[in-house]
Amino acid sequence: MANAARMGAMAAAALLLATVAGLTLFGQLDDVVRLGGDKITVRLADMGFAVRSVDVTGAGEEIAHSIVVATEIYDGQSLFSVDPGDVRSRVEALPMVRSATVARLWPDRISIVVETREAFALWQVDGVLNIIDRDGVVLAEADVMNPPDLPLVVAEGANQSAVEIVEALTLHPAIRAHVVGAVRVGERRWNLRLDSGADVKLPEGDVQASVAILARLQAERGILRLAAESFDLRGQGDLIVRALPDRAAAAGMREHEA
């Protein structure tokens, strides 16, 4: 009798597994589970359809850990109670994740493939220093005492336009070497703050062309070596150099004595 009972149980289990496989193949298993309710969900979990691993592809170890935590999936959870769409929404809500694809891998795994956001620049606004990606999305607050080695953009709206100024400076390393930060002015143009303390006032419009002009002047005349308060490129192809106040005063005095 015992052997017959065991044989009957094994046959029932085999039949259920075959049924599960068939329904899975035709994409109807979730519908059946919803109709069957918690009892069939628990039964299937007991038969091995329970989460034993969450695999994350496309992220480093630290970010992958954060992703797994964000899923709120626990070991032994019924695979049928995991909604891939809900999991994707929770993962994509993380600032470091650009996009995610979530799939259930039968019988006991969840696969998450992500595209992460990469640190691109530092953005200083309202006294806070943030790490941002190319899209201007804030990834984390930076340590002001030990910030990462990234270009700095400053002021409201600078994060949204960081790509244009960072890429323009990347094309001209001789200029980039003197720039300590790029300040967004009125959310429409840039000032470059130099290591000398001077500002380069760029016009609205083609940032790459303006930086190229500055690079040519630096190569031909060493313009950035001048003791200036500012270099103004906002004129039509002209550069206006404003001397430091003490230099301007000394020059005026020499002219008066002459």
Side-chain angles (χ1 to χ4, degrees):
M1 292 291 292
N3 287 336
R6 280 196 296 270
M7 290 294 291
M10 291 175 61
L15 179 60
L16 183 55
L17 284 171
T19 302
V20 167
L23 292 171
T24 301
L25 180 62
F26 292 102
Q28 297 176 319
L29 186 54
D30 281 333
D31 294 335
V32 172
V33 171
R34 278 194 294 270
L35 291 173
D38 293 339
K39 184 176 292 187
I40 191 170
T41 299
V42 172
R43 179 72 184 279
L44 289 169
D46 291 340
M47 293 175 60
F49 291 93
V51 178
R52 294 306 174 198
S53 68
V54 177
D55 304 329
V56 178
T57 304
E61 185 175 345
E62 185 176 347
I63 294 177
H65 176 72
S66 299
I67 290 170
V68 172
V69 171
T71 67
E72 301 179 9
I73 296 170
Y74 57 88
D75 184 55
Q77 179 178 350
S78 168
L79 202 63
F80 299 98
S81 67
V82 177
D83 184 327
D86 289 345
V87 173
R88 184 186 65 203
S89 296
R90 288 195 289 270
V91 171
E92 289 183 344
L94 296 172
M96 71 284 290
V97 176
R98 184 186 300 275
S99 64
T101 301
V102 180
R104 293 177 295 189
L105 301 181
W106 307 100
D108 59 1
R109 293 167 56 206
I110 299 294
S111 171
I112 303 174
V113 180
V114 297
E115 179 187 357
T116 58
R117 297 182 182 275
E118 303 298 328
F120 180 72
L122 295 172
W123 174 39
Q124 181 180 319
V125 64
D126 297 330
V128 179
L129 187 64
N130 298 305
I131 301 171
I132 61 172
D133 77 341
R134 289 179 64 90
D135 297 327
V137 174
V138 175
L139 304 182
E141 188 172 327
D143 181 355
V144 295
M145 301 304 294
N146 187 30
D149 185 19
L150 294 169
L152 173 66
V153 295
V154 181
E156 193 71 38
N159 60 319
Q160 299 296 333
S161 302
V163 169
E164 66 173 0
I165 191 64
V166 170
E167 290 189 344
L169 291 172
T170 299
L171 291 173
H172 301 283
I175 301 300
R176 182 184 60 187
H178 291 282
V179 175
V180 297
V183 181
R184 192 69 170 161
V185 180
E187 298 191 44
R188 56 186 176 81
R189 67 172 194 85
W190 295 97
N191 280 355
L192 302 179
R193 176 57 57 89
L194 304 180
D195 49 12
S196 65
D199 285 324
V200 178
K201 300 178 180 181
L202 301 180
E204 294 182 53
D206 194 338
V207 172
Q208 287 196 8
S210 300
V211 176
I213 291 171
L214 186 65
R216 188 183 74 243
L217 292 171
Q218 172 68 0
E220 294 175 353
R221 308 178 192 177
I223 192 75
L224 299 185
R225 292 198 297 268
L226 296 177
E229 180 178 292
S230 66
F231 302 89
D232 195 339
L233 282 164
R234 291 176 295 173
Q236 294 296 321
D238 296 326
L239 172 66
I240 299 174
V241 180
R242 182 176 181 179
L244 289 168
D246 57 341
R247 297 296 180 91
M253 186 175 295
R254 285 195 296 271
E255 290 177 2
H256 179 74
E257 290 173 351

